[in-house]
Amino acid sequence: MDPAQNRSESPDACAYVEDVSPGNGRLRPRASFDSDAPALDLNGDWSFRLGDGLHDVTVGFEAPEFDAAEWTTVPVPSSWQMDGVPGPGRFGTPAYTNVTFPIPVDPPRVPDENPTGEYRREFDVAEGFADGGTAVLRFEGVDSAFAVWLNGRPLGDGKGSRLPTEFDVTDTLRTGRNVLAVRVHQWSSASYLEDQDMWWLSGVFRPVRLLVRPAGGIADFFVHADYDHHSGTGTLRVDVDGAGDARLSVPELGITDADPAGPHTAPGVTPWSDEQPRLYAGELVTATERVPLRIGFRRVVVEDGVVTANGRPLVFRGVNRHEWDPVRGRALTRETMLADVLLMKRHNINAVRTSHYPPAAVFLDLCDEHGLWVVDECDLETHGFSENGWRRNPSDEPEWRPALLDRAERMVERDKNHPSVVMWSLGNESGVGANLAAMAEWIRDRDPDRLIHYEGDWDDCAYTDVYSVMYPDYAFVAAVAARQEPLTGDPANDARRRAMPFLLCEYAHAMGNGPGGLRQYQELFESSPRLAGGFVWEWIDHGVAQRDEEGTLFYAYGGDFGEPVHDGNFVADGLVFPDRTPSPGLLEYAKVIEPVRITARRDGGGVEIRNLHHTRDTGYLRWVWLLEVDGEQAGEGAWEVPVTGPGDTRRADWPDSLAKALAAAGPGERWVTLSAQLGADESWAGAGHTVAWSQFASDGHGATTLTAGPAGAASTTTTLTAAPAGAASTTTTPRARRRGTISLGAGQFDAADGRLLRLGDLALEGPRVDLWRAPIDNDGRSPLLAAWHRSGLHRLRHKVLEISAGGASLTVRTRIAPAGLDLAMLADYHWTTGPGDRLVLTVDTRPGGTWEVPLPRLGVALTLPAALDRLSWFGLGPGESYRDSEEAVRVGRYATTVAEAQTPYVYPQENGNRRHVRWARLTGPEGDSAGPGLEITGSPWFDLTARPWSTAALAAARHTADLRPDGRIHLNVDLEHHGLGSASCGHALQPRHHLAAVPGRFTLGFGLTEGEAAADGVG
């Protein structure tokens, strides 16, 4: 048949597209499991054609004799919009929306422009493949609706993109050549149930297999493995369907060839938990099939308003995880899923919410194996209906109930045997309604041993087991901890909800540079057993890999593919970048949620070890101390620390070896870092991996004087002080503009504006006061950026009021203000000479006029030759930090290049700040003839960013590929920054992290450097 013929079918042939039913011709849901029964992998290259809609489908394409020679091929699994990435796509492009449906809201109807993919796959089956059993065709995931034919015969259709669908093909399968045909539609009635804040993608994106279910084999089974923490006894029961003669064996428990129904008691079992994911290997056997089991005993319940696991309170240190790969989209490999699990474990994460759909089953296998608690979420979100007053929301429309129940059933049946799954979630942001209540009722009847979650009914919690909200501020969380939250919408539910545990299913929106303020949430979680922790939004930036015209890789976001409706870079809000490189936000989160807390004792004689583990004592850790003086190692050693049980706190004295090292160390700034490391290999990390650490300052008189230093020496409060009397005067007399230069020590200054032009043989420009930063997402998606723009902080001009030189000093008085407004920042630069070729700058600032906004930053900016691209410093590091995000950094001596000091946020913004820098050097490559470098010293410290482009270029860029070095090194040397917060989606920045426009003073030293020696202080 010519594939160009017959591009349409009768309307009834595709009626399933707009039918609200979940599908037709399917087998009932069952558990996902492997066995020794025959199976055939149908993944690989499939013949493919993309049509424009139902008017453009190929009649007869399912026929075995159809000639698809002119079609192209696509890999299965994949999404067709991702075909060709990072190059131009062959089959349309991705589209991103957060809430708004990208189609008219007219359920269950969808547009006529409905891209439709037609797939064909030929495969051979050996004689006797099914051998008297049932042949089953299994699709793990197809987006969004599809119909299937085998050898020209229709099998049925299905919806529920992130859920498996099976068809009985026993009577259709042939020995030898078989032809499988699948038609997939981008839009269907199911699209109204799948508005999940992600890229809209289509196709057969999870694996396809042909399975044999042997006659007399195991149709389905349900493992019930309970644990009694009082007695330490496990109780095992396995409900088996379809095989009356099935036998159970679990050799480690002494169970051999037993009735699966038991119940079997097993004294002294090790319960499953995230910290000790103990799995007992077992097997179900019939005369025709063997099914391996991995059994984890555990009990997760609510007791007295507290979530407990195996009898102990449970706090989720969680993350929301979408499935994403920047090249493959949601078609993930096992290797990618394993990378996610290992990264989470290595960063102290103990739980995953599978936002907002069940993940690939392999991911849950990995959570079972390596230890992650899982909130398994149903493939349901109807958020777009909120923009229409929730009218016709499927959550409350009777005709949609079978579809919603079907999704709940398929999730539960597929994943019911995973010990990692401890909570079923009905979905996300789907409003309220009777259909959600019906889902909860069905789940509770089918699986009463797991908790039920749904955030959308937070006002009443009428059918959930936990009180869940998203993005509350600190005050609300504190009120809930004290059971002082507002009344429920229906007062009849108030007492019930007030007795529930509280969970933040989403918080700390990790978009761009941030989130800030994580420590305060964690302190609240640890303050009350009612607070069951939370799940940071979210795991990964959903950037799509692309290349610009010069071949430079960048990551695309909403709007980059010409979508008429989109939500921009709101899809880039993860703790890891699209390539799975950890962001500073992940490092901060890992530090905040450490399962072991190390603090200095008030008596100065040692530390307190607080074990926040749920299950493990600290015996699996080895303890190491490191002494550094001015950033140079002065000693290290092991430390025998008493074993601390889960939930307990113990004291440990400083080791004698540390006291001796302190006594022998020379003068300087002394820091002791204590690290708790894995003593032996774990499945998720090798021996020596750091689980927790803390750093302490010493005054040099001995170990007993060690005191805690929060992430380094400094308080987070800005050292802004009143300017000296008469400083930064607002009045001056007009003065003639000078020409030439002014000399002061080794410095040459522009006589017209007072800027430093040269320091010895080093040409530079600046420094001059800078108040602006390239807005971060938390600035831009809150009222703050608009307020900054109204105040003109992005377009400031500098006016020189007076230059006075005399003796060994130079004073430059300036006024910095935007056009059209009378507010100003008055800045006086006081230059003096220091030892050798050094100059000392004291800057006094004072706001003039009415300031109604905080400052983005307060400091000075200068530029250097591009050859000085090597950066070293003594201060907090190695990564970036800001005033409300500095837990993950420690005081030390660090070195990098200016290029490597940048943090590549998908949407360019302020980044790369190093806090509390005592000194910093910018030099050329070793052995290079770039000339002298620049050394900057603080009194006592400063914040530093170094970039190969300007702040203006950074603010103007929309992708990382837009940024190009401009031939200068741009430095910002700051007194302080405004905090980061999490206002892109969440609470406003804490007032204590605002950078108020008040008088300020800071002092810096500038000198030339050829070697490694650093000056002490500013002079």
Side-chain angles (χ1 to χ4, degrees), residues 80-100:
W80 67 63
Q81 293 92 342
M82 300 296 289
D83 193 281
V85 171
R90 291 196 296 163
F91 307 111
T93 56
Y96 167 64
T97 63
N98 172 25
V99 177
T100 306

Side-chain angles (χ1 to χ4, degrees), residues 52-69:
D52 294 332
L54 301 187
H55 60 283
D56 185 25
V57 297
T58 307
V59 176
F61 87 110
E62 72 278 7
E65 64 273 15
F66 179 84
D67 183 2

Side-chain angles (χ1 to χ4, degrees), residues 973-988:
V973 184
D974 293 316
L975 174 62
E976 191 54 276
H977 266 261
H978 190 67
L980 302 178
S982 185
S984 59
C985 184
H987 65 89

Side-chain angles (χ1 to χ4, degrees), residues 555-641:
Y555 294 104
Y557 47 75
D560 285 337
F561 299 101
E563 309 101 296
V565 177
H566 66 84
D567 286 292
N569 67 311
F570 206 66
V571 77
D573 51 5
L575 291 172
V576 298
F577 295 121
D579 64 357
R580 285 176 164 75
T581 299
S583 76
L586 179 59
L587 303 182
E588 182 80 357
Y589 189 43
K591 176 61 180 162
V592 166
I593 62 174
E594 287 174 335
V596 176
R597 190 89 70 239
I598 309 166
T599 55
R601 288 181 1 214
R602 293 190 176 186
D603 63 9
V607 295
E608 284 190 347
I609 308 296
R610 182 183 177 194
N611 184 1
L612 298 171
H613 280 101
H614 172 271
T615 301
R616 302 186 85 168
D617 62 33
T618 60
Y620 75 103
L621 299 172
R622 69 182 184 198
W623 299 79
V624 178
W625 61 264
L626 171 68
L627 172 64
E628 293 170 296
V629 180
D630 287 340
E632 297 285 357
Q633 182 172 326
E636 65 177 337
W639 184 19
E640 293 297 324
V641 173

Side-chain angles (χ1 to χ4, degrees), residues 800-822:
V800 177
L801 303 179
E802 182 182 354
I803 299 177
S804 58
S809 67
L810 171 68
T811 297
V812 182
R813 311 183 84 178
T814 66
R815 183 179 189 271
I816 306 157
L821 298 172
D822 63 358

Side-chain angles (χ1 to χ4, degrees), residues 871-932:
L871 171 65
S872 58
W873 75 98
F874 176 39
L876 291 177
E880 74 178 28
S881 57
Y882 293 81
R883 62 189 295 166
D884 61 338
S885 181
E886 57 177 351
E887 299 288 337
V889 290
R890 63 186 81 180
V891 176
R893 188 178 290 203
Y894 304 98
T896 186
T897 66
V898 170
E900 291 169 344
Q902 313 311 301
T903 303
Y905 294 111
V906 169
Y907 188 97
Q909 56 198 275
E910 162 63 36
N911 71 88
N913 186 61
R914 268 61 182 182
R915 272 179 68 74
H916 298 162
V917 176
R918 283 73 164 159
W919 56 257
R921 299 192 198 96
L922 279 298
T923 60
E926 188 175 350
D928 189 82
S929 58

Side-chain angles (χ1 to χ4, degrees), residues 204 225 321 672 709 893:
V204 185
R321 175 186 177 269
V672 174
R893 188 178 290 203

